Amino acid sequence: KAGVTQTPRYLIKTRGQQVTLSCSPISGHRSVSWYQQTPGQGLQFLFEYFSETQRNKGNFPGRFSGRQFSNSRSEMNVSTLELGDSALYLCASSLRGNTEAFFGQGTRLTVV
Amino acid sequence: GQNIDQPTEMTATEGAIVQINCTYQTSGFNGLFWYQQHAGEAPTFLSYNVLDGLEEKGRFSSFLSRSKGYSYLLLKELQMKDSASYLCAVRDSVANQGGKLIFGQGTELSVKP
């Protein structure tokens, strides 16, 4: 069974640009959550999607958005990038959201 | 508020046993997770406790006491490859409503020969 797949693995963007990250969950999993990991703040919850609907949201500005497709794949978008958005972005896949959660390899975003 | 506390660093000897503690205060609770994260890599799932008691999985065991807001991860027969950061996380939600994971800052474990 394939694990959680995130693309791309690495990304370098310039301040002010926007970026889209992709996450394909484990087959059959319907919940996808996104997290930001930085050395100073650790792992912080961005949002969760279940059956194409945002079910939970963390405390991030509106520049961070996401969506989920009917095949449960999810995308995360960050607009007007700031230097502080440089981080490892992780998505976690879960069957329904209330069971074990498994992480993808992450996308390392560097904003210059 | 939401708070998860775990020691910042621990050191142990190869072949020994180490216990990493985690205490939590969250507005909701629907499970506690332990993850292992090697430098530069994604977190790897180790265990999930939703009921009180001990869950054993090979060299790793995890314990939960919901009344005390306390968990620990026990690693036996330590190996050099166990050197990593260990993350404690609580799912803050009611059942069947999904929810977010709130993470502690992680415990950096160094295993010495």
Side-chain angles (χ1 to χ4, degrees):
Chain A
K1 204 175 195 181
V4 183
T5 304
Q6 290 189 246
T7 56
R9 290 289 310 276
Y10 302 92
L11 210 47
I12 300 176
K13 289 285 188 179
T14 306
R15 269 182 303 176
Q17 286 187 312
Q18 74 156 15
V19 67
T20 299
L21 312 180
S22 178
C23 173
S24 292
I26 292 169
S27 178
H29 284 196
R30 294 166 62 192
S31 166
V32 174
S33 298
W34 288 89
Y35 294 83
Q36 180 196 66
Q37 186 174 31
T38 58
Q41 299 296 318
L43 267 153
Q44 292 189 292
F45 174 79
L46 282 154
F47 28 67
E48 181 207 5
Y49 285 88
F50 180 79
S51 293
E52 301 177 67
T53 301
Q54 188 181 86
R55 187 158 64 172
N56 288 282
K57 190 176 188 308
N59 297 322
F60 277 81
R63 299 185 298 107
F64 292 81
S65 63
R67 60 179 174 167
Q68 187 179 34
F69 302 95
S70 57
N71 61 358
S72 294
R73 189 178 71 85
S74 177
E75 286 183 348
M76 187 192 117
N77 185 277
V78 188
S79 61
T80 321
L81 283 165
E82 299 176 359
L83 294 179
D85 296 334
S86 294
L88 179 65
Y89 289 89
L90 293 157
C91 82
S93 161
S94 174
L95 196 59
R96 292 181 301 276
N98 60 344
T99 53
E100 294 94 330
F102 301 92
F103 282 89
Q105 287 298 100
T107 294
R108 186 163 296 281
L109 171 66
T110 303
V111 182
V112 297
Chain B
Q2 319 269 50
N3 199 44
I4 298 182
D5 286 318
Q6 50 181 131
T8 306
E9 294 177 331
M10 295 184 74
T11 302
T13 306
E14 193 176 14
I17 299 172
V18 71
Q19 177 174 311
I20 303 174
N21 296 324
C22 171
T23 57
Y24 64 90
Q25 284 180 302
T26 55
S27 54
F29 179 86
N30 190 23
L32 187 140
F33 295 77
W34 284 96
Y35 289 89
Q36 179 192 62
Q37 187 175 28
H38 286 100
E41 297 182 11
T44 303
F45 172 83
L46 290 178
S47 69
Y48 170 55
N49 293 67
V50 64
L51 299 175
D52 290 351
L54 187 68
E55 294 275 344
E56 296 185 81
K57 203 181 282 188
R59 293 190 300 116
F60 296 81
S61 303
S62 57
F63 172 82
L64 173 67
S65 169
R66 288 172 296 170
S67 62
K68 294 190 168 80
Y70 168 70
S71 172
Y72 67 73
L73 179 70
L74 195 71
L75 291 79
K76 303 175 193 171
E77 300 168 19
L78 280 171
Q79 302 174 9
M80 299 297 291
K81 67 177 182 180
D82 296 330
S83 293
S85 182
Y86 290 84
L87 302 165
C88 172
V90 171
R91 174 172 279 137
D92 178 19
S93 75
V94 297
N96 298 322
Q97 291 299 312
K100 62 185 181 184
L101 294 182
I102 302 168
F103 282 85
Q105 287 297 311
T107 298
E108 194 66 40
L109 174 66
S110 296
V111 180
K112 309 276 187 207

